[in-house]
Amino acid sequence: MILDKINSPSDLKKISVSDLPAVADEIREGLFNRLTKIGGHFGPNFGFVEATIALHYVFDSPNDKFVFDVSHQAYAHKMLTGRKAGYFDDSRFSEDSGYTNPDESEHDFFNIGHTSTSIALALGLAKGRDLLGEKENIIAIIGDGSLSGGEALEALSVAGSELNSNFIVVVNDNEQAIAETHGGLYKNLKALRDSNGKSENNMFRAWGLDYIYEENGNDIASLIAVFEKVRDSNRPVVVHIHTQKGKGYELAEKDKEGWHWCVPFDRATGKPTVNFGSGESYLGMTSQYIVEKAKKDKDFVVVTPAMPMSVGLGPEERAKLGSQYIDTGIAEEAAVAIASGIARRGAKPLVVTNMTFLQRAYDQISQDVCINKTPVTMLMNYSSFDGLTDVTHLGIFGLAAFTNIPNLVVLCPSSAEEYISMLDWSIDQKENPVLILIPGNDVNHRPADKDYGVLNRFKIEEQGEKVAVIALGDFFQKGEELASAIKEDCGFAPTLINPRFASGLDEELLHDLEKNHQLVLTLEDGILEGGFGQKIASFYGPEKMLVKNYGLKKQFYDRYNPSELLQECGMTAEQIVEDIKALLK
């Protein structure tokens, strides 16, 4: 295997150009080995193999610096920079994260998992280089789907007007984001592709950038030639290459959206090799709810910043929604502000994405929605500790971030019935901006109220004594488990409370607890600092009531085992019962 001889980019340069396609084939075998067994980003990596080889063949990493946007297309880069064991040796898969990581290699400069960032980060490297009087090449790599993000467009504008030195932006154009692309700039990309880069309508030149087009974005020799043209350039230049997402696997070439990311699968059939069960899922019930709501209510509209599958809206569901569906592209800020305008005009917007991405729209939520008190509903997936575990995609900071914005009602459902009822109430009401967290645990069923118009009304699910367990959202089931453990080990029944609202307190209920309770425990699926439990603790500060908060540390966890993390944070039922015994003494 040729890759056996390649442990650094300098080894790659010793290989003849005619042998490089064989290297690409071997890289794809490494990708297959890893992805069929542990899953990961498939389409972005398979489509960028040839470009990665050409980049490392022409440039001198790490002296020349590559910044990969999202960095979910950097697997081949990792193989060529001394980390191929993480793809060919099953026992070493955990050594490589799914993204670039400076802790892994000197060839990585940023830990990146969010999109539209590479141009700005690389532009900063270029400016720092110029200030220090150095001369290396700085290369930003960005997919066409990521170009719709405001940060990318802002950085292009700055580069074209403020930088007069070496700066290379490689636009990997595979005509696809995760789902289909949306936005006017894609008409320009198509015009450039159709004219072989000669269209007079060229947005990159309009920003003051030089421009070069390469149609054969999966041909190594062609790419080497174009990269050699721009190496050591003294002007910012965009290299626009046309590639095929998922190249090398027919199923992925045909279904680009479905193979953007994959679970472990059988290579021959493409079918998953993990069993997710045949039961209900919150994702399935959400997409079904949205489609049915749109049929019944023509004032209802879904707005998403390029994340329709965060709530299970596949191509078929999107087609059914028709004009009641808006994809803003990678533009969380615009999505939230557009929704505020829709709500102000009297219609009913539902913004859907993952919690980790909503963080980028904090200002719009605060300013454009909450100050104006427009009744926008925002529905967030993956806000749980037991969801996305890469450090760049954690949703555990959402409660602390958003429950402290005035006027925003944050709802945390604890069952399927409560979840759907909260959605129904929120979308139709006209008084409050609302953020709803999709539960991160298995679907469970319990009766639920229909109206949440009386804000911050907690619900006692089991009346008891001595200890009150306030378990928020998808941690309510952990509260039930804890209540049973207390009965068995301590000999009394605690009070079990489903708070439902994370953004405010039921002060009347909390005062009532003081009559026959000594200890209040809070359980929440997020970090403790600034979170729900600390609000309870602060309320009881001047009182005799003991309060113990259970949640996660304010920490950037990375690729952790969720069960082990609960143990580490002292959040198992057994650990909490021991705490109770000590506190009640």
Side-chain angles (χ1 to χ4, degrees), residues 261-319:
W261 185 90
C262 68
V263 297
F265 66 97
D266 176 72
R267 180 172 176 176
T269 65
K271 294 181 179 179
T273 54
V274 291
N275 184 5
F276 294 103
S278 57
E280 297 176 288
S281 72
Y282 282 109
L283 206 64
M285 87 174 54
T286 303
S287 62
Q288 182 180 355
Y289 171 87
I290 287 173
V291 171
E292 291 178 355
K293 177 69 174 174
K295 284 181 184 177
K296 294 182 290 187
D297 190 344
K298 296 306 178 185
D299 294 340
F300 171 71
V301 61
V302 176
V303 183
T304 185
M307 286 299 297
M309 286 304 293
S310 66
V311 292
L313 294 177
E316 183 178 342
E317 289 79 16
R318 300 197 293 268

Side-chain angles (χ1 to χ4, degrees), residues 6 241 243 278 300 309 324 378 480 487 490 493 525 570:
I6 301 174
I241 64 174
T243 64
S278 57
F300 171 71
M309 286 304 293
Q324 291 175 269
M378 292 165 282
E480 290 182 310
K487 291 176 190 176
C490 302
D525 195 352

Side-chain angles (χ1 to χ4, degrees), residues 340-361:
S340 185
I342 291 170
R344 174 62 75 217
R345 189 61 184 83
K348 303 174 182 179
L350 174 67
V351 178
V352 299
T353 187
N354 290 348
M355 177 60 82
T356 183
F357 302 137
L358 188 71
Q359 294 168 169
R360 293 187 285 194

Side-chain angles (χ1 to χ4, degrees), residues 122-269:
L123 181 58
L125 289 178
K127 185 62 178 178
R129 171 205 61 200
D130 293 350
L131 291 170
L132 296 173
E134 303 294 339
K135 295 293 183 182
E136 77 269 15
N137 290 277
I138 305 293
I139 304 98
I141 296 150
I142 187 165
D144 57 326
S146 300
L147 276 179
S148 60
E151 185 178 348
L153 300 177
E154 292 163 9
L156 282 171
S157 177
V158 174
S161 63
E162 302 298 325
L163 194 71
N164 193 29
S165 60
N166 174 277
F167 185 56
I168 301 163
V169 179
V170 177
V171 174
N172 173 29
D173 184 355
N174 58 33
E175 305 178 53
Q176 184 90 9
I178 298 176
E180 69 279 357
T181 53
H182 290 266
L185 69 89
Y186 295 103
K187 295 178 181 179
N188 190 218
L189 286 181
K190 184 179 187 306
L192 290 168
R193 291 194 305 269
D194 292 346
S195 65
N196 200 35
K198 296 181 173 62
S199 172
E200 292 184 7
N201 183 16
N202 187 317
M203 62 183 178
F204 302 110
R205 292 191 186 280
W207 271 312
L209 299 149
D210 291 345
Y211 174 85
I212 189 169
Y213 179 74
E214 177 52 57
E215 171 63 23
N216 301 310
N218 290 107
D219 180 75
I220 297 173
S222 297
L223 291 168
I224 288 174
V226 75
F227 291 147
E228 284 179 341
K229 288 180 183 178
V230 299
R231 183 180 58 195
D232 300 325
S233 64
N234 57 11
R235 283 267 308 144
V237 57
V238 169
V239 180
H240 178 190
I241 64 174
H242 189 199
T243 64
Q244 183 175 23
K245 190 171 185 177
K247 182 175 175 58
Y249 190 53
E250 186 178 0
L251 293 173
E253 292 173 1
K254 291 180 177 178
D255 181 9
K256 294 179 181 179
E257 180 175 348
W259 283 91
H260 175 79
W261 185 90
C262 68
V263 297
F265 66 97
D266 176 72
R267 180 172 176 176
T269 65

